[in-house]
Amino acid sequence: MNFSLEGRTYVVMGVANKRSIAWGIAQSLHNAGARLVFTYANERFEKPVRDLAATLDRDDSLFYECDVTSDEAIEQTFENIKNDVGVIHGLAHCIAFAKREELSGEFLNTSREGFALAQDISAFSLAAIARSAKDLMTEGGSILTLTYLGGERVVENYNVMGVAKASLDATMRYLANDLGKYGVRVNAISAGPIRTVSAKGVGDFNAILKEIEERSPLRKPVTKEEVGDTAYFLMSDLSRGVTGEIIHVDSGYNIMGY
Ligand code: NAD
């Protein structure tokens, strides 16, 4: 069995800055020997992503703009990646968005437009991306997305994003069934709260973090490096029998009752 990712290429979507969970995943995959392909939402993120990748100790990464609200952009991005690298062995989907005003107060007040937007960027994009990416996974592959407990249970203020994560979880399972016959596995990591730009948009995020410190079995918040190492497991042959699964990397918080 091969634990190394040397000679393999992985697409990491959603690095915005050094706090991004996607960056933790990129570092773990890089340390395991993988070549990385980064995609970013728009030109504003190009320099930060390139600057971060320049801190890695190999200079073999590739960069593409890909706004996942556009089918054409997704198709074109994977066409470009195919032309440049040929085969990919996995993909990390680390993308979500909801309007800030819908991440506090009551879910009841969610707007039709805000609901659709959160679903489109945070859940449907996984399906659209998987459709294009699978054609490049001719040697089999592993697709990974990032979800959160707020899709399984009610977490105050998470609201419309919780519903989008429930949809993402189901999307992941349906894709796992469709893509298994091509040797492509699809899984999710349910990360505990980590202070990122996206997380800061969730109302009273500090209270969610404090709860993890006080009540999770490990009594500490998780780090993006811990999520990254589980991503490495899911991208490697060690997890070859795992698909359609949600792995909680949350200091064990999800097992707790009251
Ligand atoms: P982040 O803000 O660093 O990353 C979110 C990324 O989504 C950014 O790079 C942003 O550019 C990208 N994005 C948004 N709209 C896009 C679009 N239209 N096209 C392409 N990219 C777009 O925050 P993060 O916390 O690292 O988030 C990564 C993933 O992890 C998200 O799915 C998030 O819901 C999930 N997650 C985060 C936490 C947490 O506490 N931080 C916990 C569990 C799950």
Side-chain angles (χ1 to χ4, degrees), residues 14-17 19-22 41 45 66-69 94-97 121 146-148 158 165 191-194 196-199 205:
V15 175
N17 57 42
R19 290 179 181 272
S20 294
I21 299 176
F45 295 104
C66 183
D67 178 347
V68 303
T69 57
C94 315
I95 291 171
F97 185 78
I121 298 181
L146 293 174
T147 189
Y148 178 59
Y158 203 60
K165 289 302 190 193
I194 298 175
T196 63
V197 171
S198 292
F205 182 74

Side-chain angles (χ1 to χ4, degrees), residues 33-184:
R35 182 182 197 193
L36 300 176
V37 173
F38 292 95
T39 76
Y40 48 87
N42 56 51
E43 60 189 11
R44 190 160 62 88
F45 295 104
E46 178 171 1
K47 186 169 178 331
V49 175
R50 283 185 181 270
D51 287 350
L52 278 173
T55 65
L56 299 171
D57 60 16
R58 286 190 311 280
D59 184 19
D60 55 358
S61 302
L62 293 169
F63 306 87
Y64 304 86
E65 184 174 317
C66 183
D67 178 347
V68 303
T69 57
S70 158
D71 283 337
E72 294 72 35
I74 292 170
E75 284 160 20
Q76 190 59 57
T77 299
F78 284 91
E79 191 60 39
N80 292 343
I81 295 173
K82 188 177 183 180
N83 291 337
D84 294 341
V85 303
V87 178
I88 63 170
H89 302 88
L91 178 146
H93 170 275
C94 315
I95 291 171
F97 185 78
K99 292 182 178 184
R100 196 181 181 109
E101 63 266 30
E102 301 199 348
L103 295 172
S104 62
E106 294 190 348
F107 170 73
L108 195 63
N109 297 322
T110 303
S111 69
R112 184 182 294 268
E113 187 207 345
F115 187 98
L117 183 68
Q119 290 282 334
D120 185 27
I121 298 181
S122 317
F124 174 73
S125 66
L126 180 68
I129 288 162
R131 192 157 55 225
S132 288
K134 92 166 203 318
D135 295 337
L136 283 69
M137 295 185 176
T138 50
E139 298 172 6
S142 174
I143 296 175
L144 155 69
T145 188
L146 293 174
T147 189
Y148 178 59
L149 189 64
E152 298 173 60
R153 311 211 190 137
V154 174
V155 174
E156 265 185 56
N157 296 319
Y158 203 60
N159 297 352
V160 71
M161 188 54 81
V163 177
K165 289 302 190 193
S167 171
L168 178 70
D169 295 352
T171 299
M172 179 276 292
R173 285 188 287 269
Y174 276 87
L175 289 172
N177 183 47
D178 285 351
L179 297 182
K181 56 183 170 291
Y182 304 112
V184 175

